[in-house]
Amino acid sequence: MSTFSGKSKVFLFQGDSITDGNRGRDEDPNHILGHSYAYIIGGRLGNELAEQKPVFYNRGISGDRISDLYARWNEDAIYLKPDVLSILIGVNDLWRIMKGEPSGVTDRFERAYRHVLEETREVLPQTKLVLCEPFILKTGAPAEAWDEWSKHMTHYQQVVRALAEEFGALHVPLQAAFAAAASRADAAYWLWDGVHPTHAGHDLIANEWLSAAGKSGILNG
């Protein structure tokens, strides 16, 4: 087996609690990626691409909105110089609006998301972007006002899809996959409160991510 002598590819996962997965805040490699889809993807690619010694960072923070990502983008994204940058965000933006919280008075989702992508493209033009579609299922809080939740989330999904096309990013659709999964087992089996994935839900996200990434070719080179 030949020894890999090139630069290790850096993968960065960004988002809120869905990405965070109770990740470690130190350098303990047993906990550093948490227990979200980022851990599953990191484990699978880390094994498959071992000769290339890929590096994986999880910088998801529970409770974050897209504007929170932008506020910490220098230290938690640009500084890390990722080769592949994956973003999954949106449910907290919607949560603040639906709960009538002061931080949800105006909807900054599209505006702040665009700022994040513009700055990333400007500073890291070679970084491959992966935009994951936010999602919900009809259980927990979303079920209490499903029509409103669904209307707003559908809009967010359209925004993410349009931004992915505009910025040449890989788009990972997730809502349809969760809807299909809910026909196999009840919604709470996948998203225990309609928002946060269970172990099975995280595996579903990881599979959709890896499938889309594999077909796109971003894992090559």
Side-chain angles (χ1 to χ4, degrees):
M1 184 179 297
S2 61
T3 302
F4 177 71
S5 58
K7 173 184 176 292
S8 296
K9 182 173 288 187
V10 175
F11 293 81
L12 171 60
F13 298 94
Q14 270 288 1
D16 50 36
S17 59
I18 297 172
T19 302
D20 187 327
N22 198 31
R23 64 180 174 86
R25 262 58 176 181
D26 55 28
E27 298 304 314
D28 178 356
N30 194 39
H31 302 287
I32 195 67
L33 289 179
H35 54 245
S36 72
Y37 68 93
Y39 173 80
I40 300 172
I41 295 170
R44 209 168 303 174
L45 292 182
N47 181 17
E48 293 176 1
L49 306 177
E51 291 77 14
Q52 301 175 28
K53 297 184 179 179
V55 176
F56 301 92
Y57 293 109
N58 181 350
R59 289 295 186 270
I61 293 183
S62 182
D64 266 11
R65 301 156 295 165
I66 183 62
S67 54
D68 297 311
L69 263 62
Y70 184 65
R72 58 184 179 83
W73 208 239
N74 269 335
E75 60 269 37
D76 280 347
I78 303 298
Y79 174 76
L80 298 173
K81 297 180 180 179
D83 296 290
V84 177
L85 168 56
S86 177
I87 303 173
L88 172 54
I89 200 75
V91 74
N92 285 313
D93 294 77
L94 179 49
W95 188 283
R96 309 289 177 86
I97 293 170
M98 294 301 297
K99 296 301 181 181
E101 296 184 10
S103 56
V105 171
T106 61
D107 189 347
R108 298 175 175 176
F109 183 73
E110 182 172 3
R111 182 181 304 173
Y113 213 138
R114 184 178 298 279
H115 286 331
V116 164
L117 297 177
E118 286 176 343
E119 186 166 317
T120 304
R121 272 284 171 255
E122 176 185 345
V123 182
L124 299 173
Q126 301 306 314
T127 293
K128 296 172 182 177
L129 301 173
V130 181
L131 307 189
C132 300
E133 181 178 70
F135 49 82
I136 51 172
L137 286 177
K138 195 174 182 180
T139 189
E144 297 171 6
W146 178 250
D147 289 344
E148 280 297 301
W149 273 86
S150 184
K151 180 183 73 174
H152 285 290
M153 184 54 78
T154 296
H155 171 63
Y156 282 10
Q157 291 163 354
Q158 292 169 344
V159 166
V160 172
R161 189 178 306 113
L163 288 173
E165 182 175 352
E166 179 181 346
F167 286 87
L170 173 63
H171 177 252
V172 181
L174 293 171
Q175 184 64 57
F178 273 109
S183 68
R184 298 173 53 209
D186 61 274
Y189 180 84
W190 306 98
L191 304 178
W192 66 269
D193 58 355
V195 170
H196 295 94
T198 60
H199 54 286
H202 279 293
D203 191 64
L204 183 152
I205 296 170
N207 284 339
E208 294 299 315
W209 195 102
L210 288 164
S211 176
K215 292 175 183 176
S216 74
I218 69 168
L219 302 179
N220 301 328

